């Protein structure tokens, strides 16, 4: 299928209007209408419900949306790899939630670039469910995540256990209250475990879904919050943060996910390097 049709479909879905989609793509409305009509004829289902107020996705349109995204992403990856093939002999597309890029995966990527000549790397941050979908569709080669799903065709390998600990920048004599507590959203599992452990903090004054960036806020303000121990270890050692006694810890396994059908010769040095970097964060047995 012409990827242009998928792009046009996604633009109409985003704008909610054939007119606005045409304006955004710098083409005529009749061209947009013709493309969508051709797409609907190919699929045998109406994808949009048209009205004077605009265009809304039908049930079939909602189903097709994820496939259209996959088509565009795979095409973009093909363009990237073919376009850089004269400079790079191989390409690796990696995905992970933002928490893993700070320190861990960026160091591994640096190692990849220096240890495997000719490899190009593209990296993306996202939720585990979206990364898994991209692995299935083939627009990602490898992903790191907490507690992944296990659809057929993917291998899941344990790397290390991530320990989340409570740290504070407030003086030791200062009693911790909900007023100086920052809830950092580390995902659904953490939300559930945190709510069970700290029912008094279910409505914090400050809730941030910004991942490791929140550490800068903690260092600049007298407050407390939960962070992966690997991100705050050095700050604790230097005395900039401290770890309150008897505070609850949360532990989540970290996995690398990659396709069963792969070029093992090409993958093995990549995975070996990742395992070696992950071993630095493994907790003693």
């Amino acid at each position: 299928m012409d990827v242009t049709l998928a792009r046009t479909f996604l633009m109409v879905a985003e704008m909610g209007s054939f007119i606005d989609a045409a304006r955004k793509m710098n083409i005529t409305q009749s061209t947009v209408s013709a493309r969508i009509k051709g797409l609907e004829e190919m699929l045998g289902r109406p994808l949009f419900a048209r009205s004077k107020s605009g265009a809304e996705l039908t049930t079939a349109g909602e189903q097709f949306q994820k496939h259209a995204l996959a088509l565009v992403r795979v095409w973009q990856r093909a363009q990237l790899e073919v376009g850089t093939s004269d400079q790079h002999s191989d390409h690796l597309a990696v995905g992970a939630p933002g928490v893993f890029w700070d320190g861990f995966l960026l160091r591994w990527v640096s190692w990849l670039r220096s240890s495997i000549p000719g490899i190009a790397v593209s990296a993306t941050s996202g939720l585990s469910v979206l990364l898994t979908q991209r692995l299935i569709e083939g627009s990602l080669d490898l992903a790191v995540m907490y507690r992944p799903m296990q659809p057929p065709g993917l291998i899941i390998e344990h790397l290390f256990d991530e320990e989340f600990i409570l740290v504070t920048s407030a003086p030791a004599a200062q009693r911790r209250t909900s007023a100086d507590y920052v809830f950092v959203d580390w995902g659904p599992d953490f939300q559930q475990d945190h709510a069970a452990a700290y029912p008094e903090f279910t409505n914090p004054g400050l809730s941030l879904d910004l991942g490791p960036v929140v550490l800068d806020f903690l260092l600049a303000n007298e407050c407390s919050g939960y962070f992966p121990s690997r991100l705050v270890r050095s700050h604790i050692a230097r005395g900039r943060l401290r770890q309150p006694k008897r505070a609850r810890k949360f532990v989540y396994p970290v996995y690398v996910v990659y396709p069963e059908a792969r070029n093992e010769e090409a993958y093995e040095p990549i995975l070996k390097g990742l395992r070696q970097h992950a071993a630095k964060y493994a907790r003693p047995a």
Side-chain angles (χ1 to χ4, degrees):
M1 189 187 74
D2 187 349
V3 177
T4 303
L5 300 184
R7 286 201 176 104
T8 305
F9 164 84
L10 290 171
M11 185 60 70
V12 175
E14 178 186 346
M15 304 302 295
S17 163
F18 280 57
I19 296 174
D20 292 342
R23 187 177 298 117
K24 190 76 176 285
M25 299 182 75
N26 198 29
I27 56 178
T28 64
Q29 182 185 346
S30 61
T31 300
V32 171
S33 298
R35 289 178 182 176
I36 298 301
K37 182 180 179 182
L39 185 56
E40 289 175 328
E41 289 176 351
M42 291 173 65
L43 295 171
R45 294 287 187 279
L47 301 175
F48 292 98
R50 284 84 159 169
S51 68
K52 292 182 179 180
S53 60
E56 293 185 2
L57 288 171
T58 62
T59 301
E62 291 175 353
Q63 290 291 323
F64 180 67
Q65 191 170 26
K66 61 183 178 182
H67 299 294
L69 284 166
L71 284 166
V72 171
R73 281 197 292 254
V74 170
W75 176 244
Q76 288 173 337
R77 178 172 180 183
Q79 288 179 305
L80 174 64
E81 291 192 13
V82 172
T84 59
S85 59
D86 53 341
Q87 293 95 19
H88 306 288
S89 59
D90 201 1
H91 179 268
L92 184 73
V94 185
V99 62
F100 294 120
W101 288 109
D102 195 340
F104 171 35
L105 288 182
L106 283 180
R107 289 175 184 169
W108 170 65
V109 168
S110 178
W111 173 87
L112 274 179
R113 295 280 289 148
S114 62
S115 302
I116 304 179
I119 193 170
V121 179
S122 58
T124 186
S125 176
L127 298 175
S128 296
V129 63
L130 298 177
L131 297 175
T132 302
Q133 179 60 40
R134 292 193 59 184
L135 283 166
I136 294 170
E137 72 190 30
S139 60
L140 276 185
D141 297 306
L142 179 152
V144 174
M145 61 186 80
Y146 300 117
R147 297 179 180 173
M149 300 178 294
Q150 189 163 11
L154 296 178
I155 291 177
I156 296 176
E157 178 182 329
H158 179 258
L159 290 175
F160 63 95
D161 290 332
E162 182 93 283
E163 184 179 64
F164 284 81
I165 61 174
L166 182 67
V167 292
T168 181
S169 55
Q174 183 173 312
R175 185 177 179 181
R176 190 172 75 255
T177 67
S178 59
D180 61 20
Y181 181 73
V182 179
F183 176 76
V184 189
D185 188 353
W186 298 108
D189 290 331
F190 179 80
Q191 291 174 19
Q192 183 176 347
D193 294 342
H194 183 276
Y198 297 104
E200 69 274 23
F201 289 163
T202 52
N203 294 299
L206 185 59
S207 179
L208 301 175
D209 182 13
L210 300 173
V213 176
V214 185
L215 186 55
D216 291 334
F217 181 88
L218 198 75
L219 292 168
N221 299 273
E222 293 185 356
C223 53
S224 58
Y226 271 91
F227 291 86
S229 61
R230 60 184 170 83
L231 294 184
V232 296
R233 199 175 295 156
S234 61
H235 296 294
I236 294 174
R238 292 198 298 268
R240 298 190 67 190
L241 296 175
R242 61 183 181 86
Q243 190 176 352
K245 296 179 180 179
R246 296 185 296 276
R248 174 76 182 272
K249 297 179 181 179
F250 303 102
V251 179
Y252 302 103
V254 177
Y255 297 90
V256 58
V257 188
Y258 50 91
E260 285 182 358
R262 64 191 187 282
N263 182 335
E264 292 192 20
E265 184 179 353
Y267 263 78
E268 191 49 39
I270 292 169
L271 291 171
K272 183 179 180 181
L274 181 61
R275 294 180 191 116
Q276 290 173 344
H277 279 72
K280 300 174 185 177
Y281 307 110
R283 299 188 303 158

